[in-house]
Structure formats: structure tokens, C-alpha cells
Amino acid sequence: MPTIHFAPHPALLEFVNSVFVFDIDFGAGTGLSPIYPFVPSPNRFLCFFLRDQVKLSKGPGEKFIERARSIIIGPQRLPVTLDLGQEHQAVVVCLKPAGMYRLLGIPMAELVDCDYDARLVMGQEIDELVDGLQEARTHQQRNDITQRYLLGKLPKLKALLPFDRAMLHQVQASGSLPIERVAAQACLSLRQFERKSYERLGLSPKMYSRMIRFSHAYKYKESAPHTSWLDIAHRCGYYDQMHFIRDFKFFAGFAPSGLREEQIEHLVRFRTMEDLTVAL
């Protein structure tokens, strides 16, 4: 699939995981479906759609509604379904756990299960950015334009806290670290840790850790569709199968059996592409 991953500039490593450029023509015999079930992720995203704009449905029977050409995706607890259009060319910035809070300065609890037109939050500069991305001739140029824009945001970026490093460790541990241990790494009491989590992540530490573990399992299935769900549940730290099924239904909106091997083969594997390995 014509998708390119770019590592962030060293100065951006504190809050950016990666930049992806997608260029997919669904009518060109790729065998891929433009309909994508987007399940909750511990990452935050800035998305810029350069050709067809994405449409979103929030549930079965709900109509698809066209989203803005540039969107900010807040903390997500509920699954949605995306229609990526016929020609999907997009630049997606994948941010680290507290990266969006540090970039916007908005308490993340205010953005839960929402997406916003980036122009309404970040100003008309977004129009100039999208224009530049559309005029660029190569994916490398699009990456350069995006990262220059992010580098220009560094002077106003909220400070990196021990909390941010601690939650990145939790992500890298697939959500398996005890909350008390992560709070200690953040140099906070449990009550302070929870307040900071709502502010910078939009979710409680427990909910966020559950989401990390679920996302890790979902990503594992995308990358190895022939692996059984039972094996994946054990690999991803679930104590028993019912615990895994309960979390899966909560975040995905359907049972694990609803994601079949043949279906995965026709999906754009966005979850597999997320890079959660870059350390601070």
C-alpha cells in the first residue's frame, strides 16, 4: 500500500510519534475497502485530507457526515466508522500521549469523543498549511512542510512533565504497569495523578491503560490475522478470555469474532501503522 512513515525531527520527539502520508486510490484494484471501523486509540491525531474528505458515522444506522479537510481528533472512547472516499490522500500526525494537550493547551476532557475542524482551534494558519500540502509534489515535501509547521509550534508548547514520560512508559508496556507504579514514576499521589490524567489525556489512568491494552491486541490481530484471539489475549496481558471480550466489546462495539481474517485483508491497517516505539 502506498503509505510512507516519517520519523519526527529530533526536536519534535517530545510530543510527536510519527508522520504518515497516505495515498490510496480505492478504485485502482487495490482490493481494499474505503469503509474503515476506527476503534479507540491511546494516540491523538492531526489529520489533513488533501483529496476526498473523510465521512464519519457514529453508529449503526447513523448517516455518514463529511468532516472538515483538517481535523483534530480528541480522546476517543467510542468506535466510529469512516468512509475514506475514492481517492484518499492524507497527512496524519500521530502524537504522543500528552502531545495534543501540550500543543493546544486545552484540557483533553473537553474533547472526549469529538473531532474538530482544526481551523476553529488553531486558526487560519491551517488553511495555509493545507494549501502547501496540496501543492507539494512528493510525500517527502509534504512531510517537510508538516514538520516545519510543528517546529514552529515549539516555543508555545506546554512543558514536558514527569507525568508525560510515565504515561509513555505505560504505552510502551502495553498498559500492563500497575497504576500505583506509573503514578510514582510521575512523582504524583494517586489523586493528583488522576487529575493530571483527565487534564492531559482526557481519561482516567485506568481507562487509558485499558485502552492501551485493547489497542495493542487489535493491532496484533491486524498485523497477524491468523493468530487466534485466545492467543492474542494471553500475549496482551489479559487475565482471562471474558476480561478480554468485555474490553473488546466496550471499545470496538462488537465481539472479537466480528473481526474476521478475510475482513482484515480488505481493511486499511491504520492501527498497525501507529508507531508507539519511539522513546523520549
Side-chain angles (χ1 to χ4, degrees), residues 10 41 45 67 102 109 162 187 229 232 258:
S41 166
F45 303 96
R67 315 315 288 172
R102 297 186 61 208
C187 306
W229 281 119
I232 290 173

Side-chain angles (χ1 to χ4, degrees), residues 197-217:
S197 184
Y198 277 112
E199 177 186 54
R200 298 175 86 86
L201 304 177
L203 304 168
S204 72
K206 183 177 180 180
M207 175 67 74
Y208 191 74
S209 297
R210 285 176 61 197
M211 183 183 294
I212 294 168
R213 185 161 50 239
F214 158 77
S215 185
H216 183 63

Side-chain angles (χ1 to χ4, degrees), residues 229-245:
W229 281 119
L230 181 60
D231 188 23
I232 290 173
H234 288 313
R235 289 173 181 266
C236 295
Y238 286 94
Y239 294 111
D240 56 62
Q241 191 171 13
M242 289 308 299
H243 180 203
F244 168 66
I245 291 173

Side-chain angles (χ1 to χ4, degrees), residues 11-24:
L12 299 176
L13 281 173
E14 281 191 0
F15 77 106
V16 177
N17 255 337
S18 52
V19 176
F20 290 100
V21 180
F22 298 94
D23 198 347
I24 309 167

